[in-house]
Amino acid sequence: MYDFAYQKPSNVADAVKALGADPEAKALAGGQTFIPVLKQRLNKPTVIVDLSKLGLTGITVTATAVTIGGMTTHWDVAHSEAARKAIPGLVDLAGQIGDNQVRHRGTIGGSLANNDPSACYTSAVLALGATIKTDRRSIPADEFFAGMFTTVLEQGELITAVEFPIPEKSHYMKFRNPASRYAMVGVYVAKGPKGVRVAVTGAGQGGVFRHAAMEAALSANWSPDAVANIKTPPDDLNSDIHGSAEYRAHLIGVMAKRAVAAAG
Amino acid sequence: MNAAFQGIGASVRRTEDRRFVSGNGHYTDDMNRHGQLHAIIKRSDRPHARILGIDKTAALAAPGVVAIYTGEDMQADGVGGLPCGWGVKNKDGSPMAEPAHPVLAIGKARHVGDPIAVVIAATRQQARDAAELLVIDMAALPGIAHVRDAIAPGAATVHDDVPGNVCYDWHIGDKDATDAAFARAAHVVKLDLLNNRLVPNAMEPRCAIGEYDRSGGEYTLTTTSQNPHVIRLLMGAFVLHLPEHKLRVVAPDVGGGFGSKIYHYAEEAIVTWAAGKLGVPVKWTSDRSEAFMSDAHGRDHDSTAEMAVDAEGHFLALRVRTIANMGAYLSTFAAAVPTYLYATLLAGVYKTPAIYAEVKAVFTNTVPVDAYRGAGRPEAAFLLERLVDVVARETGIDRVELRRRNFIPADAYPYQTPVALEYDSGNHLKTLEGALKASDWAGFPARRAAARAKGKLRGIGMSTYLEACGIAPSKVAGALGARAGLYEVANIRIHPTGSVSVFTGTHSHGQGHETTFAQLVSDQLGIPFSQIEIVHGDTSKIPFGMGTYGSRSLAVGGSAMVKAADKIIAKGKKIAAFLMEASVEDIEFKDGKFSVAGTDRSKTIGEIAFCAYVPHNYPIEELEPGLDETAFYDPKNFTYPGGCHICEVEIDMDVGTTEVVRFTAVDDFGRIINPMIVAGQVQGGIAQGIGQALLENAVYDDQAQLVSGSYMDYTMPRAHDIPGVAISDEGTLCTHNPLGAKGCGEAGAIGSPPAVINAVVDALSEFGVRHIDMPASSQKIWSIIQSSRLPMAAE
């Protein structure tokens, strides 16, 4: 990595100020993507602002919502009994991210701000209709993602928490890239206060997207059979050595069907 | 057998593991020398390009930079190119094309990762910063990745002095007899198949430290090597022109090699030479990305195989054409792999009377390809065992019965194959029957039906493989083009108070030699296991050695130890005879004691050793003091391990993923010293074989860019990809070495890929699948299922 200055502020305001003052400053959450990127010299920040002392960890469950602090690790989400009772699909998803080491360091805020097109959490946020809370506003999931590795977050804007409305039922099914174990296709299906929503990660050229045809079919008939015969056009899907766009299109159907079956 | 037994046949826990798992290993990168500088290699990011100029100005001015060298700088100082250790001849007897392999590229860069310059600075970070400031003016040339593109008319030329990119066009066997057999065959079965390119991925990346001692003019290279003496020989004689007594090569603890650390690499010569130039130690450590583009790759064959079969299913003849990818340069043993380690194994376990094989080795703009766990033999076993399954299917003869019908019978040994080798021992029916039983082959239909009931396609496949270990003898290897001997060396030093140091020219980089060899010497000399240390990996301590590869360490290195122990015993008998006033002929040695036959008089080996080093009462007129013997052992033949692997897979029809659900290995390794270590070797080899069959693939695009250059794209097998393996042994002893040992290091990686693919093809048989190339990825299998489900629109 290249040399950089390092700061570890103790409150959100100071962090936002440090990040806002320098367009080349970068926030460090769990670092599970960012540190490898730095080590490969693919990024050259002037200042790294470590978010680990901002008090942004923790999970709060109410009758209607699960709220996860932006710096809460995947491990903590995966092991929260309260969250599991409320949204088991979300908790299962957190337990499938990366490996043990990654889950102990990686955070929900970091993952969402990075918006890797193969990340898992993005699908849950979109399918559950979550709200992303930042230091300055609340952003509905449908407005948050802006193409791969891009979100509507402003320079220096920090995700402080993510609020998930508790659905009636939901589940996530992931088909792993055999090499990286990221989602080659991940499908999150949900039926709840925000309606029936299906979000697909790993497959789309523009990152996570909602699957309108499946949402319509499941709204009419919440059953695995309802999505079994819905073909996804491969046109806007990714293609690489592990999966062609056609294969990914097929996998979306299989994962959706299995997710609905698992959601019950 | 009592609980404390630690001799031959005991599953003694590996003594070396305590330091490995407790962080006390002594790996090259753990070492740092006083005043050491750090080297970063600037590598080509282009597959093929002319180097028009290198401007060092800005980089030299960067903080901490001490020196920057290019290929021309090293050439001007008299540094030679990296040599190939094996010469292969063309069909017409002419020598193979052996283009220059400069330590740092001169004139052209020929693959992504080809080293172009070295930047040496006070810290690694500074060297890396400066390397980014090097300005290399390059003009792109067309890149070639695949062998058929390399030999296509009008293809770009990797080496200007090798038109057509052909390194050699070689053959073996009797063409006329083979053609004649094909002409009268009842069936001819033909199969095209690829053997996928692999990246070795040893856990420890390569690392090298060069040092120069100004007082004596001596160089020391500490390196991650499987064979330090070979590196000393090659680097000293061909590259740096240093005499052996002024060059020490140390290979300390090494974290895995799988063949990739056999070769003499550019970085070793660079740090050693630069240490001499600068008068301070220079260290280089590969990172993982560099390893992907600079460690020699494995496999990469494109073959056509044909079997001529009579009406009863007897194999009449085998014809094979293979194009082997050498990569951009000839690595140390590259030329031998697709010839003497591949085509000579094409008889397998079958009595096929006529075989003819042609092998064309070609240059491409890819990382050099060399031996990787199995080295030629996995390619041969895969080709043959796949072909046999296709023959079974197309002749309608059961695949087990077909194998039985064509096996070399146990009473036919020693057996001369039509492709040069003479097998000494084996019993293929025994390993086959053992594996059929252990795997419950007969019960498979019920398991298939049960799988189908849960929506899975289940298949079973086998391979009855044979391989060859311990390349030998030196005379024959020399006649076949080896440019070195292939013996091994052992020095057993009994210390005055009875403990023992054993110096071996083999090298352990995960194999557990410190345990196995101590068991062996304990068994031979009757000295407790705990009193024996095994020393390897240092040319200043060990008389000589050829290192560890080709599963040779026990069969060749262990045999050298037996020879050295025999010399110790012979000398001990003379001392004992003197002390006990008996004739030498009457002295017997057993369990660490020299005794006078028919009496109760005896001396322990410890007493004899003490007497040898404190020769107050000693036959000094006839015998030198000391008890320290060295033996060089040159084997009479290869050894021939073999066996039967049976694999069962389940395929998820909806998504195409394959799970290996059962795996059975019944092998013939000859004498086994430590069954637990052998089982570990088999398990690891099978993990790599399953990796090759289902997961791993080094992918180059058509412009020769390495696409799978990291773990994001290169699928390394993980623990959950590998099932528990039922391992057992049905050994027949090697007849020509004193231990009867055959070797077990590579067998798992040789026998397993065809067993896995045969199982996958079996699972997919209802879709009309005849063959599937490795890796049988989920996408590939899904496409097969998908296309067979399509309506007949294509017709």
Side-chain angles (χ1 to χ4, degrees), chain A residues 1-3 39-41 175 177-182 184 240-247 250-251 254-255 257-258, chain B residues 125 128-129 132 289 652-657 695 699 707-708 711-716 718 720-721 778-779 782 786:
Chain A
M1 52 183 76
Y2 297 105
D3 288 348
K39 286 170 82 171
Q40 290 180 70
R41 297 189 157 204
F175 188 91
N177 175 308
S180 70
R181 301 291 158 134
Y182 273 84
M184 197 152 95
D240 57 33
I241 58 173
H242 296 290
S244 64
E246 291 73 22
Y247 185 40
H250 167 78
L251 290 173
V254 179
M255 293 302 114
K257 185 178 156 190
R258 290 180 181 181
Chain B
Q125 180 82 0
R128 196 175 283 281
D129 288 343
E132 293 183 1
S289 304
D652 181 328
M653 294 167 70
D654 290 337
V655 294
T657 46
L695 305 166
V699 180
V707 177
S708 52
Y711 294 131
M712 290 298 283
D713 295 300
Y714 188 89
T715 311
M716 281 294 281
R718 289 165 164 83
H720 71 85
D721 294 314
S778 60
Q779 173 171 234
W782 171 76
Q786 200 61 17

Side-chain angles (χ1 to χ4, degrees), chain B residues 528-594:
Chain B
F529 176 84
S530 62
Q531 295 299 300
I532 301 167
E533 70 156 347
I534 304 297
V535 181
H536 61 79
D538 187 341
T539 60
S540 72
K541 293 181 180 169
I542 294 133
F544 202 73
M546 296 308 296
T548 287
Y549 42 83
S551 305
R552 70 192 298 275
S553 299
L554 180 63
V556 190
S559 293
M561 278 174 209
V562 173
K563 294 283 181 192
D566 286 347
K567 291 186 184 179
I568 295 277
I569 293 164
K571 185 171 183 181
K573 280 182 176 175
K574 289 180 188 167
I575 301 167
F578 175 85
L579 292 177
M580 295 187 284
E581 297 176 340
S583 83
V584 173
E585 293 72 39
D586 290 339
I587 303 293
E588 291 172 346
F589 180 73
K590 192 166 182 277
D591 298 337
K593 269 187 191 167
F594 294 91

Side-chain angles (χ1 to χ4, degrees), chain B residues 236-253:
Chain B
F238 297 96
V239 187
L240 301 184
H241 311 297
L242 299 171
E244 269 116 331
H245 70 287
K246 292 295 183 190
L247 175 57
R248 174 185 176 198
V249 178
V250 181
D253 285 336

Side-chain angles (χ1 to χ4, degrees), chain A:
Chain A
M1 52 183 76
Y2 297 105
D3 288 348
F4 51 80
Y6 174 81
Q7 294 181 16
K8 194 194 273 188
S10 55
N11 62 69
V12 172
D14 286 351
V16 168
K17 194 172 158 199
L19 287 163
D22 181 345
E24 298 302 318
K26 288 274 183 188
L28 173 66
Q32 297 307 287
T33 300
F34 189 41
I35 288 174
V37 163
L38 290 174
K39 286 170 82 171
Q40 290 180 70
R41 297 189 157 204
L42 297 174
N43 200 305
K44 196 175 181 178
T46 48
V47 184
I48 284 185
V49 180
D50 185 337
L51 309 182
S52 63
K53 293 292 174 212
L54 304 183
L56 296 179
T57 58
I59 300 166
T60 314
V61 179
T62 66
T64 55
V66 174
T67 302
I68 301 174
M71 285 293 288
T72 308
T73 64
H74 311 322
W75 179 268
D76 285 341
V77 174
H79 291 80
S80 164
E81 278 313 309
R84 177 172 293 282
K85 277 189 192 129
I87 318 179
L90 176 67
V91 171
D92 282 347
L93 175 150
Q96 293 179 57
I97 300 171
D99 53 29
N100 265 338
Q101 288 85 343
V102 167
R103 290 193 286 274
H104 271 288
R105 298 292 308 176
T107 65
I108 188 168
S111 175
L112 292 175
N114 189 44
N115 191 20
D116 187 309
S118 301
C120 294
Y121 261 135
T122 55
S123 67
V125 166
L126 198 54
L128 291 167
T131 301
I132 287 96
K133 311 231 169 187
T134 77
D135 60 275
R136 60 200 73 167
R137 57 181 167 156
S138 289
I139 309 170
D142 284 322
E143 295 166 20
F144 181 76
F145 302 106
M148 62 162 75
F149 296 111
T150 314
T151 67
V152 299
L153 290 172
E154 297 161 2
Q155 168 66 25
E157 184 174 9
L158 294 177
I159 296 174
T160 52
V162 185
E163 185 184 280
F164 293 91
I166 296 173
E168 185 187 325
K169 49 181 73 174
S170 78
H171 204 79
Y172 178 63
M173 273 292 166
K174 174 180 182 180
F175 188 91
R176 289 174 168 81
N177 175 308
S180 70
R181 301 291 158 134
Y182 273 84
M184 197 152 95
V185 167
V187 178
Y188 202 108
V189 298
K191 181 182 185 185
K194 303 285 176 114
V196 169
R197 293 164 68 107
V198 178
V200 179
T201 186
Q205 285 177 7
V208 68
F209 64 91
R210 285 176 63 184
H211 201 301
M214 287 187 178
E215 290 182 355
L218 288 171
S219 296
N221 172 22
W222 180 270
S223 81
D225 291 341
V227 291
N229 293 316
I230 294 179
K231 298 273 180 255
T232 305
D235 310 330
D236 296 326
L237 301 185
N238 288 323
S239 193
D240 57 33
I241 58 173
H242 296 290
S244 64
E246 291 73 22
Y247 185 40
R248 281 185 160 87
H250 167 78
L251 290 173
I252 290 170
V254 179
M255 293 302 114
K257 185 178 156 190
R258 290 180 181 181
V260 174

Side-chain angles (χ1 to χ4, degrees), chain B residues 242-530:
Chain B
L242 299 171
E244 269 116 331
H245 70 287
K246 292 295 183 190
L247 175 57
R248 174 185 176 198
V249 178
V250 181
D253 285 336
V254 173
F258 313 113
S260 72
K261 292 173 183 168
I262 298 171
Y263 323 116
H264 177 35
Y265 284 99
E267 297 84 359
E268 294 170 324
I270 292 167
V271 297
T272 308
W273 174 81
K277 283 305 251 192
L278 301 171
V280 284
V282 177
K283 179 178 187 176
W284 168 80
T285 304
S286 173
D287 62 27
R288 187 57 68 180
S289 304
E290 269 185 295
F292 268 94
M293 59 174 122
S294 70
D295 292 2
H297 290 179
R299 320 276 194 257
D300 205 343
H301 283 195
D302 183 327
S303 298
T304 299
E306 294 170 275
M307 188 76 91
V309 186
D310 74 10
E312 286 78 43
H314 297 109
F315 303 158
L316 300 176
L318 172 67
R319 191 154 56 200
V320 174
R321 280 192 306 280
T322 292
I323 314 172
N325 199 336
M326 294 284 99
Y329 302 98
L330 284 175
S331 175
T332 309
F333 287 114
V337 176
T339 49
Y340 298 105
L341 296 176
Y342 163 70
T344 54
L345 271 302
L346 286 170
V349 293
Y350 308 108
K351 54 189 180 188
T352 316
I355 297 175
Y356 179 65
E358 297 171 281
V359 179
K360 199 174 274 187
V362 305
F363 292 110
T364 60
N365 296 113
T366 61
V367 173
V369 178
D370 208 327
Y372 166 67
R373 202 170 193 171
R377 292 150 288 162
E379 295 90 317
F382 183 71
L383 177 142
L384 194 55
E385 291 302 303
R386 277 297 301 127
L387 183 61
V388 167
D389 258 35
V390 178
V391 170
R393 185 190 164 100
E394 294 183 1
T395 58
I397 301 169
D398 174 75
R399 53 194 153 151
V400 181
E401 173 52 30
L402 181 70
R403 285 179 166 86
R404 283 197 189 104
R405 210 171 282 180
N406 286 284
F407 276 163
I408 300 160
D411 61 9
Y413 285 92
Y415 176 81
Q416 176 65 53
T417 74
V419 276
L421 301 179
E422 187 187 81
Y423 301 161
D424 65 327
S425 67
N427 188 335
H428 315 302
L429 208 50
K430 206 166 143 194
T431 47
L432 172 72
E433 300 300 340
L436 289 173
K437 195 167 168 224
S439 67
D440 185 26
W441 180 274
F444 175 72
R447 295 194 292 278
R448 168 173 271 177
R452 197 54 190 257
K454 51 177 183 156
K456 297 276 178 76
L457 296 167
R458 189 158 173 137
I460 191 166
M462 68 161 51
S463 78
T464 48
Y465 76 97
L466 178 139
E467 59 135 339
C469 297
I471 312 173
S474 291
K475 185 179 172 183
V476 173
L480 298 178
R483 292 167 176 166
L486 287 152
Y487 47 84
E488 200 40 78
V489 184
N491 168 216
I492 299 182
R493 186 172 300 164
I494 315 280
H495 299 298
T497 58
S499 66
V500 184
S501 294
V502 180
F503 300 85
T504 173
T506 65
H507 187 277
S508 188
H509 30 279
Q511 293 87 343
H513 290 178
E514 290 170 47
T515 307
T516 301
F517 285 151
Q519 287 180 255
L520 171 61
V521 172
S522 171
D523 191 275
Q524 296 290 303
L525 296 178
I527 291 170
F529 176 84
S530 62

